[in-house]
Amino acid sequence: MSKIVILGNGIAGITAARHIRKHTNDSITVISGESDHFFSRTALMYIYMGHMKYEHTKPYEDWFWAKNKIDLLKAWIKTIDFDSKKLITSTSEEITYDRLILATGSQSNKFGWPGENLRGVQGLYNLQDLDMMETTTQHVKRAVIVGGGLIGVEMAEMLHSRGIHVTYLIRESRFWGNVLPEKEGALIDRHLKEHHIDLRKETELEEIIDDGKGSVKGIKTKSGEVIDCQFVGLTVGVRPNIDFLKDTSLEIDKGILVDEHLATNIPDVYAIGDCAQLKSAPSHRRPIEAVWYVGRMMGETVAKTITGTPTKYQPGIWFNSAKFFDIEYQTYGSVPARLDENHESFYWEAADGKKCIHIVYEKADQKVTGINTFGIRMRHEVWDKWLNDGKTLSYVVEHLPKANFDPEFFKRFEPEIQQQYNEEYGDSIIISKPTFFQRIFN
Amino acid sequence: MKAIRYTGLLLFLFSFFLFLGIFFMSSYTLSREDFQNIVKPEHQELLADKFDNIIDQEYSFSIPFVNAVNGAIDENNSQMRAKQQWNKVIYDQYASSLTRAATHGLIKEQTTMLFILVFVIGTIGALMYLTPQVKLAGPAGIKNTGIFHNALNNRGWLGISIGVLLVTFYILLYFFDAYIMNWIILVDLIQKLINPGAQASQWFLYGFLYTFSVLVMGIRMIIKYRQSKYQIVRTLSVMFFQTAFAFLLPEILVRLNQPYFDFKNMWPLDYDFFDAWHINTLTSAGGLGIFMFAWGITLFAVGVPVFVFFFGKRWYCSWVCGCGGLAETAGDSFRQLSDKSLKAWNIERYLIHAILVFAVIMTIGVLYSFITGSNTMFGIDTYTYLRKPYGFLIGSMFSGVIGTGFYPIMGNRVWCRFGCPLAAYLGIVQRFKSRFRITTNGGQCISCGNCSTYCEMGIDVRWYAQRGQNIVRSSCVGCGVCSAVCPRGVLNLENKDEDGRFGEPILIGNDGIKVEA
């Protein structure tokens, strides 16, 4: 019986552990210094906002691990001795392994700003960050968030829920400017304003100001403006959490370099999730993808390989989702922030300015390559198939009702979308009008 | 805006505490005349000397007065039993009518004014508190902020206090109605508005408060979930069925000299449907009574399987049912308190199906007695050992005292989840023969836990969602809140072809792995 050790109890590590257990009787140990049990990192914001308690974020009950003979060890790992197959904890204890899966996740970026280590300045990635945020925001009236991405907007919502005034600095001309096209960015900008978030576009952080006692008392922007605040959220992205592996024989770049089997350069050592960097990523994917779904997919893939069925990591059509305050976002395939010359797009926005869809297609043959949808839920299965099958724009727009995943009784926008499509493209696809009975009986 | 809210809250609290205060408000003096009018002549004789020190005596509180009345009757009964004079034992319940007659004070002199202060001002206050949320709470969207920081929603002092209050209220209502005569008198004018010839009973009080709660808290529910048309329509539906079918129509029927009948209630939730007195009342009430009897049977025998097949049990549990209606409106603040553990699910399965079996056996017993005229079935007295314990344990204690009283402790569907035999029956159909399921959206679940947390039935929705599996559970009442609170658009309530309902769990996105849980 071999001993499999998994470093990290996030979605990647835990998915690996669960799937390994399905196939073998090997000993499995999951090590984490962050928490006793697996919890959903994506739900941290809901704990702060009071939607849930920490225990609600645990996807499995505590008895689950013993029942499935998955040993849990709470420890921080200081370094790894790959030659003698040992992990060394912060208290200098040694843990041996036969095979090792590294799933160490990410850490928040900092870019060397003056004052970035003051009390009240932090990112939000792990449970310790959340605890710290809970403590440091107790009497905060005003906060500044730096960095327009998903964690930034989550932090804005969290602080806003406690009645803290939020000023939000973003470097680009719109929210999440390196990912979202202009119109979607504008839609979210408006929604943030609706929630009284003081959004400052094209504004960069110069320094964080010390109150003289080691806490933050304000920030200064590159243009010289000083904004008073008692909390600064630094949400300028994350990077693989691999600093402790820098002086080992493990091959690393930005992340731990892995081949298509998620194996590192060292035999019996694998890396998955946020910390892994694909040496040769498929053309439609990036080498490092720090999202939940990738961690899960890599976890189930590496479990196959480790249990005797070598399996290549083959991520399919890209998908992701998020929620910006009240507006849900889903994306399937590729919708770049700026289109290249070979692509065009069809954009529809609802009259209330809170829902839109944006479909990107190839100029040459109208094959759809991706969609962004805001405020309208879409069926993953349908879009996955359409994108795999290379359906054209007119096909997709005509069959849009099939992809709708909104709850019953919700207003359906397909007729409006189809109408606009017909007008813009001089096409004459049939406009869908589901009858009352069709809507009830789906 | 905030000032309006706080003023509203003050008004509501004023009405609420006034209502509680009314319990203590009256004095009680029984006149000889009332005694003679209410108590049957043959009983007057027996009770005359025992009532000597009650009559014309002033009591400042209902409980000692009622106890004195009941004490006098009990004293007579034990004496007569000792003498084996069985025909002189009194079984009539005089406490309520004597208390009503003996009540003096503001409640009788100023009923209308008190009613306005309690219910009109209370409603205005509640609405002033609730409606500004449309603006104050920001744009439409999920409003669960602070739920687990709140003493009301998170089993804090406020939640516990309300739980204690509700339990006390239910016990008084079910077993000691004479004690709460002041509250019953308070709603007399509504009873008379619907039916001038009638006097409010504890059941009228209950129906009125129930409907009042469903309506006011229904407005709250609609404001809270106004981004979801499903929630709005569904809430309007339970508000309508409670007001029209459960509250008004039966009273109107009585006014028209027809049997009291709630057309949306059904066996086995309506556990006295097959009681001899009920069957006799319906079948002796002419065409309409016969129709009611046939309707009641058709509803559970045909309506349940057909509607559950097409829509799932939600057509009843979260769209029509009164218990469901209260849970979905007044109980919404407590939905997050249901236990999601596997252990709770195991208890649920045994308990609810055991109660269904109990209800069926009880009903068979009652019907057997009705048809054969024999009080015993297999040597067991069907009333003493079946119907009576069922009514007390399940009908009163479980569905009322625990079912509603424990909202702030165990969530708003304690009864529906662990106890309701109709829910069990609907659930069996839903589990095995229905088009309804909650579908999960490909691979989009992030296991955040909002769905499980806010499932009032304690279903661990996330467990299915994160493995890409349809949720087909007998207990799901289809409230749709899991779908509403999902931040990633993963869950959807759907009626679809039965094929594929129990399909393999599929997480889309990983081309290297084929279907595997």
Side-chain angles (χ1 to χ4, degrees), chain A residues 22-23 40 49-52 56 58 61 293 296-297 314 316 321 330 332 377-380 405 408-409, chain B residues 146 148 229 314 342 441 443-444 446-448 454 462 483 486 488-490 494 509-511 516-517:
Chain A
K22 282 172 200 252
H23 302 293
S40 177
M49 290 164 67
H51 291 212
M52 286 192 274
H56 297 116
K58 292 194 273 191
E61 289 185 62
Y293 313 112
R296 191 179 67 200
M297 294 192 286
Q314 292 174 291
S321 58
Q330 294 179 339
Y332 301 103
R377 293 175 173 180
M378 298 271 185
R379 259 173 228 276
H380 188 175
F405 200 67
E408 296 147 302
F409 299 105
Chain B
F148 282 99
K229 218 169 162 193
R314 57 182 171 153
L342 189 63
N441 198 5
Q444 289 278 24
I446 52 167
S447 301
C448 70
Y454 288 93
R462 163 174 57 192
S483 163
C486 176
R488 304 297 180 111
V490 175
E494 297 191 276
N510 197 353
D511 291 353
E516 198 177 5

Side-chain angles (χ1 to χ4, degrees), chain B residues 445-485:
Chain B
C445 178
I446 52 167
S447 301
C448 70
N450 275 295
C451 52
S452 295
T453 304
Y454 288 93
C455 177
E456 56 191 355
M457 296 305 284
I459 299 170
D460 192 357
V461 184
R462 163 174 57 192
W463 193 84
Y464 302 85
Q466 67 191 357
R467 63 205 297 265
Q469 189 175 21
N470 287 345
I471 296 133
V472 180
R473 278 278 289 268
S474 57
S475 63
C476 174
V477 293
C479 70
V481 167
C482 57
S483 163
V485 297

Side-chain angles (χ1 to χ4, degrees), chain A residues 78-337:
Chain A
K78 196 166 61 183
T79 188
I80 302 172
D81 180 349
F82 290 106
D83 295 330
S84 50
K85 291 193 161 185
K86 268 185 227 158
L87 300 105
I88 294 114
T89 71
S90 57
T91 54
S92 299
E93 279 165 71
E94 294 183 351
I95 299 147
T96 59
Y97 66 85
D98 295 317
R99 278 170 296 169
L100 175 66
I101 300 172
L102 298 166
T104 57
S106 294
Q107 56 183 317
S108 304
N109 280 334
K110 285 183 176 181
F111 292 125
W113 287 294
E116 67 181 16
N117 294 319
L118 291 170
R119 204 180 122 78
V121 182
Q122 67 167 100
L124 178 64
Y125 180 79
N126 55 33
L127 208 50
Q128 285 70 33
D129 291 337
L130 183 74
D131 290 342
M132 184 156 75
M133 189 169 165
E134 182 66 52
T135 322
T136 52
T137 56
Q138 280 303 321
H139 303 290
V140 168
K141 296 265 186 300
R142 297 177 69 96
V144 170
I145 293 170
V146 183
L150 293 181
I151 301 181
V153 75
E154 283 184 5
M155 229 184 195
E157 188 175 352
M158 291 159 76
L159 294 164
H160 181 69
S161 78
R162 300 267 180 110
I164 296 168
H165 182 273
V166 177
T167 302
Y168 193 177
L169 312 188
I170 52 177
R171 194 175 56 184
E172 288 87 5
S173 60
R174 60 181 181 276
F175 173 74
W176 216 15
N178 56 340
V179 174
L180 293 183
E182 209 175 318
K183 285 171 177 162
E184 286 98 307
L187 182 144
I188 297 301
D189 287 356
R190 286 196 303 272
H191 189 57
L192 291 175
K193 286 207 186 89
E194 198 184 358
H195 278 282
H196 310 292
I197 302 300
D198 173 19
L199 189 66
R200 308 282 180 94
K201 298 173 198 174
E202 293 172 320
T203 307
E204 287 185 66
L205 177 67
E206 172 75 27
E207 65 167 298
I208 301 165
I209 306 164
D210 191 337
D211 70 347
K213 292 176 225 147
S215 292
V216 54
K217 77 160 183 184
I219 62 117
K220 196 158 124 192
T221 67
K222 282 217 164 126
S223 60
E225 189 188 354
V226 172
I227 302 170
D228 289 338
C229 64
Q230 302 83 45
F231 180 83
V232 176
L234 294 179
T235 58
V236 286
V238 294
R239 64 177 192 280
N241 177 26
I242 53 167
D243 290 351
F244 71 110
L245 296 168
K246 276 202 170 124
D247 301 319
T248 64
S249 51
L250 191 69
E251 206 175 279
I252 55 178
D253 175 32
K254 283 180 180 142
I256 303 166
L257 289 168
V258 292
D259 64 16
E260 55 195 355
H261 287 97
L262 304 169
T264 68
N265 64 313
I266 299 171
D268 296 327
V269 179
Y270 300 80
I272 55 172
D274 286 15
C275 69
Q277 178 179 350
L278 295 171
K279 274 192 265 192
S280 51
S283 59
H284 63 293
R285 311 287 295 221
R286 283 166 293 132
I288 301 178
E289 292 176 334
V291 296
W292 180 267
Y293 313 112
V294 168
R296 191 179 67 200
M297 294 192 286
M298 285 183 166
E300 56 185 350
T301 309
V302 80
K304 281 243 167 194
T305 300
I306 274 197
T307 53
T309 319
T311 303
K312 289 179 184 169
Y313 174 59
Q314 292 174 291
I317 301 287
W318 167 259
F319 68 96
N320 200 4
S321 58
K323 193 173 182 185
F324 308 103
F325 282 82
D326 304 314
I327 298 183
E328 286 174 24
Y329 154 72
Q330 294 179 339
T331 187
Y332 301 103
S334 158
V335 181

Side-chain angles (χ1 to χ4, degrees), chain A residues 183-195 322-330 347-357 372-377 406 413 416, chain B residues 134-135 137-143 226-227:
Chain A
K183 285 171 177 162
E184 286 98 307
L187 182 144
I188 297 301
D189 287 356
R190 286 196 303 272
H191 189 57
L192 291 175
K193 286 207 186 89
E194 198 184 358
H195 278 282
K323 193 173 182 185
F324 308 103
F325 282 82
D326 304 314
I327 298 183
E328 286 174 24
Y329 154 72
Q330 294 179 339
Y347 181 86
W348 167 89
E349 189 173 293
D352 68 358
K354 288 173 140 189
K355 299 170 199 79
C356 74
I357 66 166
N372 277 348
T373 169
F374 287 75
I376 298 176
R377 293 175 173 180
D406 271 340
F413 294 95
E416 214 177 287
Chain B
V134 175
K135 280 261 176 282
I142 292 305
K143 305 286 181 231
R226 65 188 184 281
Q227 78 282 6

